[in-house]
Amino acid sequence: MYLRSGNTAAAIHTLKRALTQDPDHAQAHAMLAQCLLLDKRLHAAELEARIALSADPEMPLALYALGHISIARRRFAQAREHFEQLIALEPDDPTNHRALAQLEQLEGDPAAALAHLERARAADPEDATVLSDLADLACAQGDLSLARRHAEAALELAPGDADSLISMGKVLLREGSLEEAHHLVVSVLQVNPSHGGAIGLLAQIKARQSPVLGLWWRWNTWMHSLGDGRSIGVLLAGFFVYAVLSLATSDLGLQKTSELVDILWLLLVVYTWVGPVLFMRMIKKELGEVELSRDF
Amino acid sequence: MASAELGRRGGDGGGYRIADEPRAGGLVQLTVNPLWPLFAVMFGGAWLSWPWFVVNGWAMGSPTRVRETLFVVAAWVGSVLLLVALLVAGASLPEGGFKYLFLLHILYKLGVTYRLYVWQMRPFQLHQYYDGPVRNGVFMVIAGYLLGERLLLPAAAELGVFVKWVLQ
């Protein structure tokens, strides 16, 4: 129940209480892994999933969590192994095919992702989340009319489904209907204020509304996609380029250029310092204005 | 279940404790936002920043505190070795060329510091989440800057520029 409303803190608290009573409860460990994954506490999530698997090596929930943890850690080969094991265990569960489709998409193979989503749809034609994934895939490939059809079909099956609403929001954003997309995001946040997809889409809408802050948001998204090690590398490379330029222009007697390089660097530092603060304030203000529905 | 040892009892009231939850010790009052030790490397130097990261890790009970401590020890050794290598390589460079080579040492120190910062940010967020005390590190940065500029680095320079570069 807590997880459905996005309240991972309460879910974790409850599971910890359960594990205090029975530290060997494999299902509780697997559910805890899932919650920790949602909170991006990957190290702890992996540990909990492995504890669950040590008790039951074929527990689907633990394999599912471990697959997604591997994706978050960008260990795609391991993720594939877990998902394929999961599909072998439960070939008719559309969730497992959706997971593999997500991995295929991340690895840059939309055709394979589509094939897995079609298998998921065949497994359960009434599953709105599969249609919502199909909408997202079509949207990412730029086929907005197909994306809209899938999103509409998903909403027809499950009118209030958060993922389907967000998929439709993504289509609307790509079509340029910012206000309508915003309206859908707010309707999702009213029920689940910590819905990751909704907050992500809200950030995209805000980034579109403010080009200056949007630039920072895109840069930040890109840096996050690189992972810790590579993003540190990019930052250091940027500093190295600046330092060499500054020294070289000074050595060549180009004082004005050297000063310009220093000023540009300073502006970049200030921008990357102030940008996230302003952007987060904008998002928080927006979230603060969301009135929770009675369904929350 | 042997692997249940991985998950453990302990913490407040003997409840189940998740692996990454901070285990604050007696130094908990000294916890600062890792941003301050990061600033310390820019305003003071590695002599201030790196030991501060170690103390901070132990203060907040970071689950990676042992790794952080060993990393800092290795980083100091690496810093000395890198400087020696740069000095050897720089001997054949024309006048004014060494400062470009020296940038590699600055990059190395920034890289080590960023890595420590990234490691400590997640446990720090959890520390805050559990209402752990957090001190403002700005005074330490200012004091470190003044101490470094007025006392420590000039004294180190007296011993030799190599010592100063290692500490800086």
Side-chain angles (χ1 to χ4, degrees), chain B residues 80-98:
Chain B
V80 171
L81 293 177
L82 179 63
L83 255 183
V84 170
L86 291 179
L87 284 168
V88 171
S92 56
L93 286 177
E95 200 185 328
F98 184 72

Side-chain angles (χ1 to χ4, degrees), chain A residues 9 16 20 41 48 54 251, chain B residues 3 9 16 20-21 99-100:
Chain A
K16 277 176 71 177
T20 303
R41 292 165 64 180
E48 292 298 334
S54 67
D251 281 352
Chain B
S3 61
R9 285 170 180 275
Y16 185 81
D20 65 353
E21 282 177 357
K99 63 186 173 198
Y100 291 91

Side-chain angles (χ1 to χ4, degrees), chain A residues 38-73:
Chain A
L38 290 172
D39 274 359
K40 297 187 175 60
R41 292 165 64 180
L42 302 180
H43 170 70
E46 182 165 351
L47 212 56
E48 292 298 334
R50 291 202 183 281
I51 293 171
L53 283 178
S54 67
D56 178 359
E58 296 192 336
M59 181 187 284
L61 184 60
L63 283 169
Y64 181 80
L66 209 48
H68 280 287
I69 292 162
S70 302
I71 285 186
R73 295 197 143 163

Side-chain angles (χ1 to χ4, degrees), chain B:
Chain B
M1 181 172 76
S3 61
E5 291 304 316
L6 294 169
R8 69 232 86 225
R9 285 170 180 275
D12 302 335
Y16 185 81
R17 182 148 53 189
I18 300 169
D20 65 353
E21 282 177 357
R23 284 158 227 207
L27 299 171
V28 68
Q29 296 295 335
L30 299 179
T31 304
V32 295
N33 187 326
L35 198 63
W36 295 114
L38 177 73
F39 279 156
V41 84
M42 301 170 195
F43 293 100
W47 68 270
L48 175 65
S49 171
W50 294 357
W52 195 1
F53 269 117
V54 172
V55 172
N56 204 37
W58 286 89
M60 75 170 94
S62 161
T64 51
R65 59 192 181 279
V66 174
R67 182 171 66 176
E68 289 160 20
T69 307
L70 293 175
F71 183 70
V72 165
V73 172
W76 280 118
V77 175
S79 176
V80 171
L81 293 177
L82 179 63
L83 255 183
V84 170
L86 291 179
L87 284 168
V88 171
S92 56
L93 286 177
E95 200 185 328
F98 184 72
K99 63 186 173 198
Y100 291 91
L101 208 54
F102 189 69
L103 282 176
L104 292 177
H105 193 243
I106 297 173
L107 282 184
Y108 170 82
K109 286 191 168 174
L110 285 177
V112 167
T113 312
Y114 270 123
R115 174 43 78 190
L116 287 165
Y117 170 75
V118 169
W119 273 339
Q120 282 199 359
M121 264 323 278
R122 174 55 72 175
F124 176 70
Q125 284 164 352
L126 283 172
H127 175 80
Q128 277 188 310
Y129 177 78
Y130 286 106
D131 289 330
V134 180
R135 276 183 182 270
N136 190 338
V138 68
F139 304 109
M140 183 76 168
V141 173
I142 294 169
Y145 171 73
L146 294 172
L147 185 72
E149 287 296 307
R150 302 257 168 97
L151 211 67
L152 189 78
L153 294 177
E158 292 282 315
L159 295 171
V161 72
F162 186 88
V163 180
K164 186 186 169 190
W165 284 344
V166 169
L167 291 176
Q168 214 168 21

Side-chain angles (χ1 to χ4, degrees), chain A residues 120-172:
Chain A
R121 183 151 68 162
D124 183 359
E126 301 292 301
D127 190 335
T129 53
V130 176
L131 287 166
S132 132
D133 283 359
L134 281 165
D136 289 348
L137 182 63
C139 195
Q141 290 185 283
D143 191 343
L144 294 185
S145 64
L146 179 63
R148 178 177 268 281
R149 280 204 302 280
H150 283 311
E152 281 170 352
L155 285 169
E156 213 167 286
L157 282 170
D161 178 58
D163 291 336
S164 307
L165 286 168
I166 294 306
S167 295
M168 182 55 91
K170 285 178 190 169
V171 175
L172 289 166

